[in-house]
Amino acid sequence: MNGAYRLAKCAAILAAVCVCPTFAQAVVSCRGDCNGDQQVDIAELTTGVRIALGQDTAEHCRAFDADADDQVLVFELLDGVARALDGCPYPHDDELRLNHFQVLGTHNSYHVQADPPVFQAIEDFSEALAQTLEYTHIPLPQQFDNERIRQIELDVWADPVGGLFASPVGLKLETGDPTATIPEMETPGLKVLHVQDIDYQSTCRRFVDCLEIVKTWSDAHPLHMPIMVEVEAKDDRLPTGLGFDFVVPIPFGAAELDSIDAEIRSVFPPEQLITPDDVRGTHTTLAEAVRSDGWPTLAASRGRVLFCLDNEGRRNLYLQGHPSLRGRVLFTPASLGDDDAAFLKLNDPIADFAKIQQAVGEGFVVRTRSDGDTDEARTNNTTQRDMAIASGAQWVSTDYPVPDPDFGTPYMVEIPGGMPARCNPISAPPACTALDIEDPQFLVP
């Protein structure tokens, strides 16, 4: 279609609009698609024009309001016209569901290897321990953009008063200043780090800061496939008798688990989250909903984030007072047969290969790991990686979306044909293509 013809047709479409039906609000995966049917017609363009002229409100078609400012401007109308001419970007979004993909994730996604003086001290104490900590991830937006990561993991530590982790032993050793502090760690709230005092470097130190980074990226890429954030609640103590006054963490009880939900909700509005309540619907249990209705469609999931709890040992406490996760934000690491079963954490794709395939085949979502403790990267052992990918687990977590040059091996993990995701080899419909999940040309509006 040449430019002149397109312009003429565009003018004809805009000139034809004359009446304005009211449409139900729909999730925006296609500009101007008021009713969510992955098409834009004359009636919907009419709605957009009336909103632009002030004759109607944006509430009648949020699909036109690209910047959520409760008005429709010319660029938003033209985007809708383009969709009427060329079609919507994801025509199969009402058929494909949240569990129909496989994508790469990162383990301890915030982690930055300790500075040389501190790392050397760790290595002097235990070379084996130091080896498990010898990896660094780039900042989260770069992971999303450059490494096509769509699942991350954040370790959180309770710090309701603030300052508990502000003056780590490692920082004092490195600077020689016993009063040295990390300013952003002084404020109250959950903190993100791997091991207090010794392995505390992070690309985002406060949980809310990490969440804001994810939200900012999501807002800038509204048609992204759903992102999963795995949250590990940590309160491990370091051994005594080593000559250092290590921080004693606050145990994660009910109040601390509630604070995870509260901080997530302080950053993400309900419409940007996928919660257990969204999946359960009118069913009695989450597992029943997954087995009978399945996960939300991609049309209802684009631009959204879901959160999963990493800790099996805290599952029961998180469930207390919230049967089948009513009112909760995080999906719990359950087992098949549990009422709250929706998400399973099966980190050993070799031993759990059949269990992963069964769970994925029955409609559940699974996170597994392709490597751990830097072992596979040092030896270029790809067995666990290959089994993880073949298992069909939706999220394959790694420390190596790119090779580590320090190890001298080519070891890395990528999803075959992933752009960033591929259609799930176990659960996706046969007609699904990788570009149906996320197409780079539609990632940025």
Side-chain angles (χ1 to χ4, degrees), residues 16-29:
V17 296
C18 55
V19 294
C20 180
T22 299
F23 295 100
Q25 182 175 335
V27 175
V28 180
S29 63

Side-chain angles (χ1 to χ4, degrees), residues 33-165:
D33 177 21
C34 302
N35 61 1
D37 66 354
Q38 297 301 304
Q39 301 178 71
V40 178
D41 59 23
I42 291 292
E44 288 166 314
L45 290 175
T46 299
T47 300
V49 170
R50 288 181 61 87
I51 297 170
L53 294 175
Q55 298 171 356
D56 210 334
T57 66
E59 193 67 30
H60 285 156
C61 186
R62 288 293 178 189
F64 268 111
D65 187 10
D67 50 8
D69 63 353
D70 290 324
Q71 57 183 332
V72 173
L73 302 179
V74 171
F75 82 93
E76 292 163 317
L77 280 178
L78 292 178
D79 195 9
V81 170
R83 299 283 69 79
L85 293 171
D86 299 332
C88 288
Y90 293 107
H92 303 296
D93 261 15
D94 283 330
E95 306 157 31
L96 296 174
R97 295 184 176 273
L98 186 147
N99 60 310
H100 286 158
F101 62 77
Q102 185 179 57
V103 72
L104 195 63
T106 47
H107 159 255
N108 291 346
S109 310
Y110 58 88
H111 186 263
V112 175
Q113 184 178 320
D115 293 331
V118 180
F119 189 81
Q120 185 61 57
I122 299 171
E123 196 169 39
D124 291 343
F125 172 73
S126 170
E127 185 175 354
L129 172 62
Q131 286 189 358
T132 69
L133 308 177
E134 196 175 356
Y135 63 97
T136 291
H137 286 298
I138 59 178
L140 298 178
Q142 294 177 33
Q143 291 186 43
F144 298 145
D145 287 333
N146 303 338
E147 297 175 345
R148 300 180 294 179
I149 298 299
R150 295 295 180 267
Q151 182 261 311
I152 61 173
E153 180 185 357
L154 302 174
D155 292 346
V156 297
W157 302 71
D159 187 15
V161 176
L164 187 61
F165 304 99

Side-chain angles (χ1 to χ4, degrees), residues 246-413:
F246 293 131
V247 166
V248 177
I250 295 172
F252 252 92
E256 289 72 30
L257 289 172
D258 288 346
S259 74
I260 298 177
D261 282 14
E263 292 201 10
I264 293 171
R265 292 192 188 279
S266 76
V267 173
F268 289 95
E271 62 270 18
Q272 206 166 357
L273 293 173
I274 300 169
T275 67
D277 288 340
D278 296 327
V279 176
R280 188 188 319 97
T282 59
H283 291 277
T284 304
T285 70
L286 195 53
E288 177 187 320
V290 170
R291 290 185 185 278
S292 54
D293 293 347
W295 287 85
T297 63
L298 285 183
S301 304
R302 291 199 182 279
R304 296 191 176 193
V305 182
L306 69 154
F307 290 81
C308 298
L309 182 67
D310 179 84
N311 313 76
E312 297 94 337
R314 306 190 199 278
R315 170 178 162 266
N316 289 337
L317 183 58
Y318 189 73
L319 281 165
Q320 282 185 13
H322 302 271
S324 201
L325 295 172
R326 282 174 173 75
R328 283 303 201 184
V329 175
L330 283 76
F331 292 87
T332 40
S335 300
L336 294 179
D338 292 330
D339 285 351
D340 57 314
F343 161 67
L344 283 74
K345 191 188 80 170
L346 298 168
N347 280 345
D348 187 343
I350 298 174
D352 294 329
F353 187 82
K355 189 181 294 186
I356 293 172
Q357 291 206 314
Q358 178 188 354
V360 173
E362 293 181 12
F364 297 90
V365 293
V366 178
R367 182 260 198 172
T368 194
R369 289 184 64 178
S370 59
D371 43 74
D373 295 336
T374 75
D375 292 337
E376 289 77 10
R378 291 178 187 276
T379 61
N380 196 33
N381 183 346
T382 63
T383 302
Q384 183 168 324
R385 178 196 72 183
D386 296 344
M387 292 289 280
I389 293 171
S391 73
Q394 281 83 1
W395 298 292
V396 177
S397 180
T398 181
D399 285 320
Y400 302 99
V402 296
D404 189 327
D406 292 340
F407 296 160
T409 75
Y411 182 87
M412 64 174 292
V413 185

Side-chain angles (χ1 to χ4, degrees), residues 171-209:
L171 181 62
K172 297 173 185 177
L173 288 174
E174 183 177 355
T175 63
D177 180 1
T179 65
T181 61
I182 302 171
E184 57 264 50
M185 302 292 264
E186 298 279 8
T187 58
L190 296 166
K191 303 301 189 297
V192 175
L193 62 141
H194 189 227
V195 181
Q196 71 274 31
D197 285 306
I198 63 170
D199 194 37
Y200 54 87
Q201 297 287 21
S202 174
T203 58
C204 49
R205 299 185 186 277
R206 302 187 307 165
F207 188 45
V208 291
D209 292 338

